[in-house]
Amino acid sequence: MLNKVYDWIDERLDITPLWRDIADHEVPEHVNPAHHFSAFVYCFGGLTFFVVVIQILSGMFLTMYYVPDIERAWESVYYLQNQVAFGQIVRGMHHWGASIVIVMMFLHTLRVFFQGAYKKPRELNWIVGVLIFFVMLGLGLTGYLLPWDMKALFATKVTLDIVQSTPLIGDVLKTLIAGDEYITGAQTLTRFFAIHVFFLPAVLLGLIGAHFLMIRKQGISGPL
Amino acid sequence: MHRGKGMKFVGDSRIPINGRKPNIPKDYSEYPGKTEAFYPDFLLKEWMVGAVFLAGFLCLTAAEAPPLERIADPTDTTYIPMPDWYFLFLYQLLKYTFTSGPYNILGAMVIPGLAFGSLLLAPFLDRGPERRPFKRPLATGFMLLGIAAVFYLTWQAAAHHDWEAAKRQGEIKEVVEVDKEDPGYKVMEANGCLGCHGGNLEGLTGPQLVGTEKTADEIKDIAVNGFGDMPPGLFKGTDEELQQLADFIKSIEADK
């Protein structure tokens, strides 16, 4: 049955080459932990992506309850955590996942760095990777405000003070992020929500796409 | 580019670079019999690793509930903020004399800018053909220095932070409406207890007194002799008033 559906679509759209492009390549010995256990260091990048997928999925479920409004944000998180079935697990996955992403990305970066895998011809992929790192830190920063608890508010105020201390464009930059030159409040929360849920994930997916495309094009770097 | 086995998509640094040898490692086909098809063999193994990882991750989320402090109160000026652990090194950096105050720009912009900027531009700073860490001591050295600095600053920030106080200042407080006509409440008001313990005994700089587990005698003792940060001699009333105070505090039950 499934085969027939597949054939029916394939006959019209020729979809086989699409996934064959992704599926048909060989995994060299030096990155395969089945041959050399030390090759587990090559897992860090993939695990980072795995946690990113967890973050996207758990985040989607969180927005089913979360209300980006200073009156309700905390209440909605409290309700999600204490009343909703498995709400604590879903929020826990998103909360701890944010830390695990940073850890995995850090390890992945070190692996690439110490193996000198960023050298010609892979300079561009390294740059894209570091940009992903920055976007992740941005996601961590903006996500922090959303529960609207004491820690969220006051840590964000500190961050905004640092942003404001940027020479020349400090004030403009703060107004752009916080929605107001002085007040950290309703506007700030909705802006951070928009940045956290729409802007940064869009950038992130684009960068990750470019990252994978380049790996596919250049292959993984050879053994040392 | 059909070298080796002629696999189209196995590219191992195959982008030709003017015959500069060191950057072109051996072709995969130099290791016969040990390469593995990505789909489905290797992918299945990847999924098994993923499943184990997921199980561990779920154990973590089940064991440790995500923290949530009380609702943001912008009027609370005593709260000492602390960023998430992965920003602690930047937070700590801004505490030193030469990176704060008039030199804030150094700690907030210049030093992190240089560090992250050079990380971003690493391929153009470290241009030699060598890949082994020991053959490029400068790159390795600076990276190790950077890692050491990040770890040291994070550790310093964590060591100098009063975690107990941080936990207390963020606690979700149960606000229970107390009977403000009770003689015990009047005694507390007269002796200045409410300044630290709050108008509803919900706790301010002092702990909250709602649903205390202490006995009436212990409460009396604390009111007279102090406890922890609370100095002795704050209570200046009569013994009868002391009894009223203790009974009143014992009478307030937690809401839940």
Side-chain angles (χ1 to χ4, degrees), chain A residues 6 9 22 34 52 59 74 79 88 106 119 126 149 164 178 188 192-193 204 206 210 216:
Chain A
Y6 179 84
I9 297 172
I22 298 165
V52 168
W74 187 86
Y79 176 75
Q88 184 182 315
F106 181 67
K119 301 208 162 196
W126 169 267
D149 61 359
Q164 199 167 18
T188 318
F192 271 51
F193 179 72
L204 181 71
R216 203 68 191 75

Side-chain angles (χ1 to χ4, degrees), chain A residues 192-208:
Chain A
F192 271 51
F193 179 72
I195 294 170
H196 185 78
V197 175
F198 294 105
F199 289 80
L200 288 181
V203 176
L204 181 71
L205 289 180
L207 287 172
I208 288 181

Side-chain angles (χ1 to χ4, degrees), chain A residues 26 91 95 157:
Chain A
E26 291 197 22
R91 178 160 182 257
H95 178 89
K157 282 192 172 178

